[in-house]
């Protein structure tokens, strides 16, 4: 099981490879706001744990294990963003809040949130009703 820090790296690497076709140490460092030396150390650990294959000066490639975990983490992040948006969290808080909670929820909780999101997706009237209740509570009506 990857640590929360490992998850952050795997998620970032997966997204970079998906978007650009590759992930460089400098891109990972910039995205996570850490020093390149920290990225190199974590990449070596992820290589040792078989999430990726790293060759110095040649780059890295996610293993099938790394791709599977990376995709799952990216999907988790997107789900939590969608959930927070659905329940009315202000847009400027969504990303920061997801970053704050994503490592603290069990996969059981994630599955339950996914079920709830799907419940609201299937009937837009339900979502409108939730949003109306939220707006009433905010306005104090």
């Amino acid at each position: 099981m990857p640590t929360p820090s490992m998850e952050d790296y795997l998620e970032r690497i997966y997204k970079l490879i998906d978007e650009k076709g590759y992930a460089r140490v400098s891109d990972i460092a910039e995205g996570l706001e850490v020093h390149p030396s920290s990225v190199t150390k974590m990449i070596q650990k992820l290589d040792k744990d078989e999430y990726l294959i790293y060759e110095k000066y040649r780059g890295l490639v996610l293993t099938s294990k790394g791709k599977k975990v990376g995709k799952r983490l990216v999907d988790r992040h997107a789900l939590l963003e969608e959930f927070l948006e659905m329940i009315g969290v202000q847009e400027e808080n969504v990303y920061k809040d997801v970053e704050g909670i994503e490592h603290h929820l069990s996969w059981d909780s994630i599955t339950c949130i996914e079920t709830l999101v799907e419940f609201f997706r299937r009937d837009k009237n339900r979502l409108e009703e939730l949003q109306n209740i939220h707006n009433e509570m905010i306005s104090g009506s």
Side-chain angles (χ1 to χ4, degrees), residues 23-36:
R24 296 182 312 197
V25 168
S26 59
D27 295 328
I28 299 164
E30 182 182 324
L32 295 175
E33 299 177 351
V34 297
H35 292 286

Side-chain angles (χ1 to χ4, degrees), residues 66-134:
K67 287 178 189 172
K68 181 179 176 184
V69 172
K71 179 169 180 9
R72 190 173 187 202
L73 296 171
V74 167
D75 291 348
R76 174 183 72 184
H77 190 101
L79 171 71
L80 291 172
E81 281 188 0
E82 183 178 4
F83 173 67
L84 293 182
E85 289 166 1
M86 276 184 172
I87 63 171
V89 173
Q90 293 179 7
E91 189 176 334
E92 63 268 15
N93 295 327
V94 170
Y95 182 82
K96 178 178 56 94
D97 288 352
V98 169
E99 287 296 312
I101 65 172
E102 65 185 340
H103 301 297
H104 301 286
L105 294 173
S106 67
W107 286 103
D108 180 48
S109 293
I110 297 295
T111 300
C112 292
I113 290 170
E114 186 174 29
T115 302
L116 184 60
V117 166
E118 183 59 27
F119 175 78
F120 286 115
R121 274 191 203 135
R122 288 185 183 190
D123 186 344
K124 296 298 178 193
N125 293 327
R126 293 174 186 152
L127 184 55
E128 284 179 29
E129 188 175 344
L130 174 68
Q131 290 167 343
N132 289 338
I133 292 168
H134 175 77

Side-chain angles (χ1 to χ4, degrees), residues 25-47:
V25 168
S26 59
D27 295 328
I28 299 164
E30 182 182 324
L32 295 175
E33 299 177 351
V34 297
H35 292 286
S37 59
S38 299
V39 174
T40 301
K41 286 178 190 168
M42 180 58 79
I43 286 174
Q44 290 168 342
K45 177 156 182 42
L46 292 169
D47 183 15

Side-chain angles (χ1 to χ4, degrees), residues 2 6-19 51 62-80 102 107 110 114 121:
M6 291 167 77
E7 286 183 347
D8 285 339
Y9 279 86
L10 284 168
E11 182 179 355
R12 186 74 197 134
I13 291 165
Y14 183 89
K15 284 180 80 171
L16 282 167
I17 291 172
D18 188 49
E19 293 165 5
Y51 289 103
L62 288 171
T63 62
S64 59
K65 175 183 173 181
K67 287 178 189 172
K68 181 179 176 184
V69 172
K71 179 169 180 9
R72 190 173 187 202
L73 296 171
V74 167
D75 291 348
R76 174 183 72 184
H77 190 101
L79 171 71
L80 291 172
E102 65 185 340
W107 286 103
I110 297 295
E114 186 174 29
R121 274 191 203 135

